[in-house]
Amino acid sequence: MMSFQPGRWITAGAVVVPLVGAVALIPLRGTLVSTNVALLLVIAVVAIAATGRRPATVLGAFSAAAGFNLFHTEPYLSLRIGSWDDLETAALLLLVGLIVGELALRGRRAQALFVRERRDLASIQGLGALVADGEPPDYVLLATASELSHLLGLVDCRFETEPGSDQIFPIVHRDGSVRWGPTAWDPARWGLPTDGVTIPVWSHGQSRGRFVLTAPIGLPISADQLAKAVALVDQAGASLAA
């Protein structure tokens, strides 16, 4: 039984959709000028860019240019172009498709980043409100573990007050770096270590325990996200001061 793989379907659609659009415009060859046909095909490229996948966007731009060449320039159904104006239009279609697709892709990613930043800020503010309202420390620690799991996409997160001596993990520092003694780890490239990492919980300069984080294998996590995780844990430490 074949599993559903969105990436393959998006890639196939990036090739097929512009070609189908070019075929659908064939009845309008005598009505629309070639430049208008090219503009309509650019819309298909922008739609593909909305998926957020750059390789698919590039394929869509080339597919749109090929569809325009095959079905809207003479001789039809041939990669040869008889008119210099049509050649320029085909080249511009490819160029504009690539540029517009890239801009649409970056806009989508910027929007996704903005939404994530707002969600992360709401998470930090919500936990801060629990501490300010004087909620019991145990409840704050549970809420912190939940927020850390959502923030970093963890598969497990637990708080330990007295860790065993044989459980030594890399430590997440305030700048979002991950270190195991003098050895640095790059979570943005490799994800978090498979055995887990810890974020120490401090209160009034004293260690009060640690959170042990376990992430999916190979899931990239930025230093910025890890720094936010430390900020969450610092608020949990404030609740333990009472």
Side-chain angles (χ1 to χ4, degrees):
M1 182 177 179
M2 294 182 62
S3 60
F4 177 71
Q5 296 180 320
R8 291 186 177 181
W9 285 102
I10 292 173
T11 301
V15 176
V16 173
V17 170
L19 289 175
V20 171
V23 172
L25 293 172
I26 289 177
L28 301 178
R29 279 196 299 220
T31 304
L32 294 178
V33 296
S34 60
T35 51
N36 289 338
V37 173
L39 287 174
L40 290 174
L41 293 177
V42 167
I43 296 176
V45 179
V46 174
I48 295 167
T51 63
R53 298 173 182 266
R54 181 173 284 108
T57 302
V58 173
L59 282 175
F62 277 95
S63 178
F68 176 79
N69 186 4
L70 288 171
F71 304 112
H72 297 278
T73 64
E74 295 181 352
Y76 299 127
L77 300 180
S78 171
L79 293 178
R80 188 164 55 88
I81 300 177
S83 167
W84 180 257
D85 290 338
D86 286 342
L87 178 61
E88 287 184 337
T89 302
L92 287 173
L93 169 60
L94 176 60
L95 180 62
V96 171
L98 290 172
I99 294 174
V100 173
E102 180 67 19
L103 291 176
L105 181 62
R106 294 191 179 190
R108 184 179 185 277
R109 291 183 175 178
Q111 182 182 17
L113 179 61
F114 174 74
V115 172
R116 189 183 72 180
E117 291 292 337
R118 290 191 60 181
R119 184 180 65 246
D120 294 346
L121 178 60
S123 176
I124 295 174
Q125 290 175 333
L127 189 62
L130 293 180
V131 177
D133 291 341
E135 295 289 346
D138 288 344
Y139 179 76
V140 173
L141 291 172
L142 286 174
T144 303
S146 176
E147 294 295 344
L148 288 173
S149 296
H150 284 91
L151 176 67
L152 303 177
L154 304 177
V155 296
D156 183 61
C157 181
R158 66 183 186 274
F159 174 73
E160 297 179 343
T161 54
E162 297 180 359
S165 58
D166 59 334
Q167 295 179 307
I168 302 176
F169 298 105
I171 297 175
V172 180
H173 295 269
R174 295 187 184 281
D175 60 355
S177 63
V178 177
R179 294 185 175 276
W180 196 334
T183 304
W185 182 273
D186 187 0
R189 183 176 180 182
W190 303 313
L192 293 179
T194 55
D195 292 336
V197 298
T198 64
I199 302 180
V201 181
W202 294 90
S203 179
H204 289 282
Q206 295 182 345
S207 175
R208 303 298 297 272
R210 67 183 185 179
F211 281 94
V212 180
L213 319 178
T214 305
I217 297 176
L219 175 67
I221 298 178
S222 68
D224 181 58
Q225 292 296 97
L226 290 172
K228 292 175 184 176
V230 175
L232 285 171
V233 171
D234 283 344
Q235 295 195 68
S239 72
L240 297 176

